Amino acid sequence: MLLWRLLINAFRHGAEHWLKWINRDTGRRSDAASAYIHSTRAKHQNLHLQCNTKIDRVVIENGVAVGVLTVPAKPVAGYSPERTLWKARKLIIVSCGTLSSPLVLQRSGIGDPEKLKKVGVKCVVDLPGVGLNFQDHYLTFSTYRAKPETESFDDFVRGNPEVQKKVFDEWNIKGTGPLATNGIEAGVKSRPTEQELEWMKSWPTPDFSPSGWESYFKNKPDKPVMHYSVRTNPRLTCGSLS
């Protein structure tokens, strides 16, 4: 029991340098396309990208996903663009993000039969959990005043043409400057104490304590309730609720 308490206290709060995607070969800030797509296509010719394309639905035959139907991202022929069928030989992976993945599944007939029936979609797989249990990702910003001569990223974000050109030129020519980092240098995680949890029960909307805490956070000591990021922009500190 004592060891468990020590572990909980150790995981309750923490801070670290924010991890960044840095290309191991060039030492420059990288992104998913450079790290995975471009590097893979440079060595393998069987990876094909279909740009300006959206997924309509997965085609399911006899209980097996056999392909996907796609439509142009910006159709020019009205509201019923022509569908293109892409057949699969082995596997189909739906990876369209938190919001779009359930929509693709539901359009494919995978979801709650009653909900699908209301929008005219035939249910192929009875899976009521599709699209449920979404949670808001609350985000707060702490801003503060800085002296005019203080260096910040504000003018770039506001779209000042001169500042943007200067920043882009420095990145393209030297690989340095504000764009060499994602702007977040440190992260801090925090979990409430038992005393704070009791205090939260008196809030006008006690949805987090005890129900939210008990069902999701209590037995996950490494799961932060609040996460802060410290940015290089001196006028901005960001905090989010998990």
Side-chain angles (χ1 to χ4, degrees), residues 1-13:
M1 187 66 176
L2 177 59
L3 178 59
W4 177 248
R5 287 292 181 184
L6 291 174
L7 287 173
I8 290 179
N9 290 332
F11 281 120
R12 188 176 300 279
H13 305 297

Side-chain angles (χ1 to χ4, degrees), residues 20-23 26-31 34 171 175 178-183:
K20 300 178 176 64
W21 294 106
I22 303 298
N23 188 295
T26 65
R28 291 173 55 137
R29 179 185 177 188
S30 187
D31 55 18
S34 299
W171 165 250
L179 294 184
T181 173
N182 61 0

Side-chain angles (χ1 to χ4, degrees), residues 57 81 155 241:
R57 62 184 177 88
D155 289 334
L241 285 171

Side-chain angles (χ1 to χ4, degrees), residues 108-173:
S108 307
I110 304 173
D112 187 324
E114 293 300 321
K115 292 182 179 179
L116 297 180
K117 183 179 179 180
K118 291 180 180 179
V119 294
V121 176
K122 179 182 177 182
C123 182
V124 179
V125 179
D126 185 342
L127 200 62
V130 174
L132 296 182
N133 300 320
F134 283 108
Q135 297 182 13
D136 286 335
H137 188 136
Y138 296 103
L139 184 67
T140 61
F141 293 95
S142 300
T143 58
Y144 54 93
R145 295 183 181 274
K147 294 182 179 180
E149 64 271 17
T150 301
E151 183 180 356
S152 77
F153 214 40
D154 290 357
D155 289 334
F156 180 89
V157 175
R158 292 192 187 104
N160 185 301
E162 294 181 2
V163 173
Q164 288 193 338
K165 184 180 186 306
K166 180 180 178 181
V167 171
F168 281 126
D169 286 347
E170 182 177 358
W171 165 250
N172 290 327
I173 297 173

